[in-house]
Amino acid sequence: MSEPSQASTIAFTVWMSVMTGLSLSILALCARQVFDYAKLHDGAPKAKVLKMNIIMTMTPFILVVLYLWHAACISTLSLHGCDESPANIVFTAIMFANVEVSYLLFSWLRNGKIIALTHPHLHPHMRKFVIYLPALLYVQVIPAILEIKGINAINGFQVTWLHDIMNLAGGGLVCLFDCVLLYSFLSFLSNTRIEDDDPLDTEFTIVSRFGIIQVASSFLVCGVYLAWMLARDPFLKMELMYAVYSLFLLVFLCGYLMRRSTYNAEVKRRNAVQKFVETNGGGESKDMNNALGVQTKRVSIKQ
């Protein structure tokens, strides 16, 4: 296989530079979101909200570093040189694990309540799953380190096989997590109602709808990554890998839009109750709940 052309090297450098710019833009939006939430909660948001904001801001920062690294690496070493660089191999493995872990934690913090509501028997198991899975995801870095150290086999077992097996295991477990999320979202939207058949809660509905899109994007990432593992043409493998890098941003963008939409819904509810108070000078708690959009009826899950 011949070396990638100079035009290909320039194209990939521009590609990663554009992704860096997009990630910086989303990072700025996330910073604004954190500020807005702090303002909404009088500067002291709940611990869970604070954790979610930290992770939400950390993810685009990780992507900025990943894209910027590859843009610099390609422009310095050429496309093929960057792909074969030992430092790039280890760095990419670490960043992959960081992206997967941040996605896992954000998804759990944002969507764990829906799992508890729709499938309470699964919730404690999924909680343990989220606690222990990051360790396996970071262990995937070890084969990359062994490869650049020139250790090609351990007791006759090829390190490249170990790398592929661990990647498949990690990706498969993340997909399993996504399947549980998707099952919970669909269960909520199709089976969860309050007594008068109105939608249960605006926030959960928003989370479920955006969650389905986010999970679908995650499945797309897994599919492209599997295609990368099966591809034999070196240039095609590079194209598929950089496609995976780009799709990371799509997955996170869905999460950001979900977060922003729930924030906008909360602001709308607060404005409604403020308007109600100003117009009526208070009122019965039931009337105020109706203005705020708070559900006071018992939740029912169709079995």
Side-chain angles (χ1 to χ4, degrees):
M1 175 61 61
S2 60
E3 286 277 331
S5 66
Q6 182 65 22
S8 298
T9 297
I10 294 174
F12 274 84
T13 303
V14 172
W15 183 0
M16 289 296 99
S17 298
V18 170
M19 297 306 298
T20 301
L22 292 174
S23 298
L24 282 170
S25 299
I26 295 179
L27 179 59
L29 292 174
C30 289
R32 178 190 171 186
Q33 180 72 36
V34 171
F35 174 79
D36 288 344
Y37 260 103
K39 184 178 179 181
L40 186 66
H41 293 275
D42 299 322
K46 295 178 181 179
K48 182 177 179 180
V49 173
L50 185 60
K51 290 178 184 177
M52 205 179 306
N53 286 339
I54 291 173
I55 295 173
M56 186 179 67
T57 307
M58 180 179 68
T59 305
F61 177 77
I62 293 171
L63 293 178
V64 167
V65 174
L66 176 65
Y67 297 143
L68 191 60
W69 166 274
H70 279 279
C73 184
I74 294 170
S75 62
T76 303
L77 301 177
S78 80
L79 189 58
H80 182 72
C82 180
D83 187 58
E84 297 296 326
S85 167
N88 181 61
I89 292 172
V90 173
F91 180 81
T92 300
I94 293 172
M95 297 308 287
F96 255 64
N98 286 338
V99 171
E100 288 178 312
V101 170
S102 62
Y103 167 76
L104 188 73
L105 295 178
F106 179 83
S107 296
W108 175 252
L109 288 172
R110 177 68 273 178
N111 307 315
K113 291 187 295 184
I114 293 182
I115 297 176
L117 176 65
T118 57
H119 307 290
H121 62 287
L122 288 178
H123 188 266
H125 302 295
M126 293 303 297
R127 186 175 183 276
K128 292 179 182 178
F129 186 86
V130 171
I131 291 174
Y132 295 117
L133 182 56
L136 174 61
L137 296 177
Y138 280 114
V139 165
Q140 296 177 88
V141 178
I142 295 176
I145 297 175
L146 294 176
E147 286 186 70
I148 68 170
K149 290 293 185 180
I151 302 174
N152 298 318
I154 300 177
N155 295 329
F157 193 83
Q158 294 294 320
V159 171
T160 53
W161 296 349
L162 179 64
H163 186 250
D164 290 345
I165 290 172
M166 294 184 72
N167 282 344
L168 281 173
L173 289 172
V174 172
C175 285
L176 177 62
F177 175 77
D178 284 336
C179 286
V180 175
L181 288 181
L182 182 61
Y183 181 45
S184 298
F185 295 147
L186 293 174
S187 296
F188 178 84
L189 292 175
S190 62
N191 297 328
T192 306
R193 295 290 183 271
I194 56 174
E195 291 176 357
D196 59 0
D197 291 331
D198 288 333
L200 170 64
D201 181 84
T202 301
E203 178 185 351
F204 279 8
T205 302
I206 291 172
V207 168
S208 295
R209 288 172 178 169
F210 275 100
I212 290 172
I213 299 173
Q214 186 176 33
V215 168
S217 301
S218 178
F219 285 151
L220 180 60
V221 172
C222 293
V224 176
Y225 188 75
L226 182 60
W228 171 82
M229 294 185 67
L230 297 175
R232 290 293 175 261
D233 183 279
F235 189 70
L236 176 60
K237 287 181 75 73
M238 281 187 279
E239 289 182 316
L240 291 171
M241 183 52 65
Y242 284 100
V244 169
Y245 298 158
S246 303
L247 288 171
F248 282 156
L249 189 60
L250 174 63
V251 173
F252 176 73
L253 181 60
C254 294
Y256 166 77
L257 292 175
M258 175 200 299
R259 192 85 174 111
R260 189 68 196 182
S261 296
T262 56
Y263 168 81
N264 291 338
E266 184 175 354
V267 170
K268 184 177 180 180
R269 288 197 299 268
R270 286 174 179 249
N271 289 340
V273 75
Q274 182 178 357
K275 182 178 179 181
F276 178 86
V277 171
E278 291 174 352
T279 303
N280 298 279
E284 296 293 331
S285 60
K286 181 178 179 181
D287 295 331
M288 190 174 295
N289 282 337
N290 290 334
L292 185 59
V294 175
Q295 304 297 337
T296 58
K297 298 185 179 182
R298 183 189 177 107
V299 174
S300 62
I301 308 282
K302 296 179 183 178
Q303 301 295 335

